[in-house]
Short mmCIF file of all heavy atoms in Angstrom, two decimals:
data_model
loop_
_atom_site.label_atom_id
_atom_site.label_comp_id
_atom_site.label_asym_id
_atom_site.label_seq_id
_atom_site.Cartn_x
_atom_site.Cartn_y
_atom_site.Cartn_z
N THR A 237 -30.09 5.95 8.41
CA THR A 237 -28.91 6.83 8.34
C THR A 237 -28.75 7.40 6.93
O THR A 237 -28.41 8.57 6.75
CB THR A 237 -27.64 6.06 8.77
OG1 THR A 237 -27.90 5.42 10.02
CG2 THR A 237 -26.45 6.98 8.93
N TRP A 238 -29.01 6.57 5.92
CA TRP A 238 -28.97 7.08 4.53
C TRP A 238 -29.92 8.28 4.40
O TRP A 238 -29.56 9.32 3.87
CB TRP A 238 -29.43 5.99 3.54
CG TRP A 238 -28.41 5.00 3.10
CD1 TRP A 238 -27.56 4.30 3.89
CD2 TRP A 238 -28.13 4.57 1.75
NE1 TRP A 238 -26.79 3.45 3.14
CE2 TRP A 238 -27.12 3.59 1.82
CE3 TRP A 238 -28.66 4.89 0.50
CZ2 TRP A 238 -26.61 2.95 0.68
CZ3 TRP A 238 -28.16 4.25 -0.63
CH2 TRP A 238 -27.15 3.30 -0.54
N ASP A 239 -31.16 8.10 4.89
CA ASP A 239 -32.16 9.17 4.75
C ASP A 239 -31.74 10.44 5.49
O ASP A 239 -31.82 11.54 4.95
CB ASP A 239 -33.52 8.69 5.31
CG ASP A 239 -34.25 7.79 4.32
OD1 ASP A 239 -33.85 7.76 3.15
OD2 ASP A 239 -35.20 7.10 4.73
N LEU A 240 -31.28 10.24 6.72
CA LEU A 240 -30.89 11.41 7.52
C LEU A 240 -29.69 12.11 6.89
O LEU A 240 -29.62 13.35 6.86
CB LEU A 240 -30.55 10.94 8.96
CG LEU A 240 -30.08 12.02 9.92
CD1 LEU A 240 -31.13 13.12 10.10
CD2 LEU A 240 -29.73 11.41 11.29
N PHE A 241 -28.76 11.33 6.38
CA PHE A 241 -27.57 11.90 5.73
C PHE A 241 -28.00 12.78 4.55
O PHE A 241 -27.55 13.93 4.41
CB PHE A 241 -26.68 10.74 5.25
CG PHE A 241 -25.52 11.14 4.40
CD1 PHE A 241 -24.33 11.57 4.98
CD2 PHE A 241 -25.59 11.09 3.01
CE1 PHE A 241 -23.24 11.93 4.18
CE2 PHE A 241 -24.51 11.45 2.21
CZ PHE A 241 -23.34 11.86 2.80
N VAL A 242 -28.88 12.27 3.69
CA VAL A 242 -29.29 13.03 2.51
C VAL A 242 -30.07 14.28 2.93
O VAL A 242 -29.83 15.38 2.42
CB VAL A 242 -30.11 12.15 1.53
CG1 VAL A 242 -30.61 12.97 0.35
CG2 VAL A 242 -29.26 10.98 1.03
N ASP A 243 -30.99 14.13 3.89
CA ASP A 243 -31.75 15.30 4.37
C ASP A 243 -30.80 16.36 4.92
O ASP A 243 -30.99 17.56 4.70
CB ASP A 243 -32.73 14.90 5.49
CG ASP A 243 -33.92 14.13 4.96
OD1 ASP A 243 -34.18 14.20 3.75
OD2 ASP A 243 -34.59 13.43 5.76
N THR A 244 -29.79 15.92 5.63
CA THR A 244 -28.85 16.86 6.25
C THR A 244 -28.02 17.56 5.17
O THR A 244 -27.85 18.78 5.19
CB THR A 244 -27.93 16.10 7.23
OG1 THR A 244 -28.75 15.44 8.18
CG2 THR A 244 -26.96 17.02 7.93
N TYR A 245 -27.53 16.81 4.21
CA TYR A 245 -26.73 17.43 3.15
C TYR A 245 -27.58 18.36 2.28
O TYR A 245 -27.09 19.35 1.77
CB TYR A 245 -26.06 16.34 2.30
CG TYR A 245 -24.71 15.90 2.85
CD1 TYR A 245 -24.48 15.79 4.23
CD2 TYR A 245 -23.65 15.62 2.00
CE1 TYR A 245 -23.25 15.40 4.72
CE2 TYR A 245 -22.40 15.23 2.50
CZ TYR A 245 -22.21 15.11 3.86
OH TYR A 245 -20.99 14.74 4.36
N ASP A 246 -28.87 18.03 2.13
CA ASP A 246 -29.76 18.91 1.35
C ASP A 246 -29.87 20.30 1.99
O ASP A 246 -30.17 21.28 1.29
CB ASP A 246 -31.17 18.29 1.24
CG ASP A 246 -31.23 17.24 0.12
OD1 ASP A 246 -30.25 17.10 -0.64
OD2 ASP A 246 -32.27 16.54 0.02
N LEU A 247 -29.63 20.40 3.29
CA LEU A 247 -29.68 21.71 3.96
C LEU A 247 -28.63 22.66 3.38
O LEU A 247 -28.74 23.88 3.49
CB LEU A 247 -29.45 21.56 5.47
CG LEU A 247 -30.52 20.79 6.25
CD1 LEU A 247 -30.04 20.52 7.68
CD2 LEU A 247 -31.83 21.57 6.27
N ILE A 267 -20.78 7.77 7.76
CA ILE A 267 -21.60 6.99 6.82
C ILE A 267 -20.74 6.06 5.97
O ILE A 267 -21.18 5.02 5.51
CB ILE A 267 -22.48 7.91 5.94
CG1 ILE A 267 -23.64 7.08 5.35
CG2 ILE A 267 -21.70 8.60 4.84
CD1 ILE A 267 -24.86 7.84 5.01
N ARG A 337 -20.63 11.01 -1.58
CA ARG A 337 -22.08 11.20 -1.37
C ARG A 337 -22.78 10.01 -2.03
O ARG A 337 -23.64 10.18 -2.88
CB ARG A 337 -22.50 12.53 -2.02
CG ARG A 337 -23.84 13.00 -1.54
CD ARG A 337 -24.21 14.30 -2.21
NE ARG A 337 -25.64 14.50 -2.08
CZ ARG A 337 -26.19 15.62 -1.63
NH1 ARG A 337 -25.46 16.63 -1.30
NH2 ARG A 337 -27.50 15.72 -1.55
N HIS A 339 -25.08 7.94 -1.47
CA HIS A 339 -26.32 7.54 -0.80
C HIS A 339 -27.47 8.35 -1.37
O HIS A 339 -27.26 9.46 -1.85
CB HIS A 339 -26.19 7.76 0.71
CG HIS A 339 -24.98 7.10 1.28
ND1 HIS A 339 -23.75 7.72 1.29
CD2 HIS A 339 -24.79 5.88 1.80
CE1 HIS A 339 -22.85 6.88 1.80
NE2 HIS A 339 -23.45 5.77 2.12
N GLU A 340 -28.65 7.80 -1.31
CA GLU A 340 -29.86 8.50 -1.79
C GLU A 340 -30.97 8.25 -0.78
O GLU A 340 -30.87 7.33 0.05
CB GLU A 340 -30.28 7.95 -3.15
CG GLU A 340 -30.16 8.93 -4.31
CD GLU A 340 -30.74 10.31 -4.04
OE1 GLU A 340 -31.77 10.42 -3.35
OE2 GLU A 340 -30.15 11.30 -4.52
N LYS A 341 -32.01 9.05 -0.86
CA LYS A 341 -33.17 8.78 -0.01
C LYS A 341 -33.71 7.41 -0.39
O LYS A 341 -33.93 7.12 -1.58
CB LYS A 341 -34.24 9.85 -0.23
CG LYS A 341 -33.91 11.21 0.31
CD LYS A 341 -34.04 11.27 1.80
CE LYS A 341 -35.51 11.31 2.18
NZ LYS A 341 -35.75 12.07 3.40
N ILE A 342 -33.98 6.59 0.61
CA ILE A 342 -34.41 5.22 0.35
C ILE A 342 -35.72 5.21 -0.47
O ILE A 342 -35.87 4.43 -1.40
CB ILE A 342 -34.57 4.44 1.67
CG1 ILE A 342 -33.21 4.34 2.38
CG2 ILE A 342 -35.19 3.07 1.45
CD1 ILE A 342 -32.15 3.52 1.66
N ARG A 344 -36.68 7.28 -2.67
CA ARG A 344 -36.43 7.60 -4.09
C ARG A 344 -35.89 6.38 -4.84
O ARG A 344 -35.96 6.32 -6.05
CB ARG A 344 -35.42 8.74 -4.21
CG ARG A 344 -36.02 10.11 -3.91
CD ARG A 344 -35.00 11.22 -4.17
NE ARG A 344 -35.20 12.31 -3.24
CZ ARG A 344 -34.24 13.03 -2.68
NH1 ARG A 344 -32.97 12.77 -2.95
NH2 ARG A 344 -34.52 14.00 -1.86
N TYR A 392 -28.42 23.15 -6.38
CA TYR A 392 -27.55 23.88 -5.43
C TYR A 392 -27.09 25.23 -5.98
O TYR A 392 -26.25 25.88 -5.41
CB TYR A 392 -26.33 23.01 -5.05
CG TYR A 392 -26.70 21.86 -4.13
CD1 TYR A 392 -27.26 20.70 -4.64
CD2 TYR A 392 -26.51 21.95 -2.76
CE1 TYR A 392 -27.62 19.64 -3.81
CE2 TYR A 392 -26.87 20.90 -1.92
CZ TYR A 392 -27.43 19.75 -2.45
OH TYR A 392 -27.78 18.71 -1.62
#
Side-chain angles (χ1 to χ4, degrees):
T237 310
W238 277 49
D239 281 346
L240 178 60
F241 172 84
V242 176
D243 286 342
T244 303
Y245 272 38
D246 278 353
L247 294 170
I267 199 154
R337 196 181 162 129
H339 307 86
E340 246 313 323
K341 289 285 285 212
I342 297 295
R344 284 185 213 143
Y392 288 80

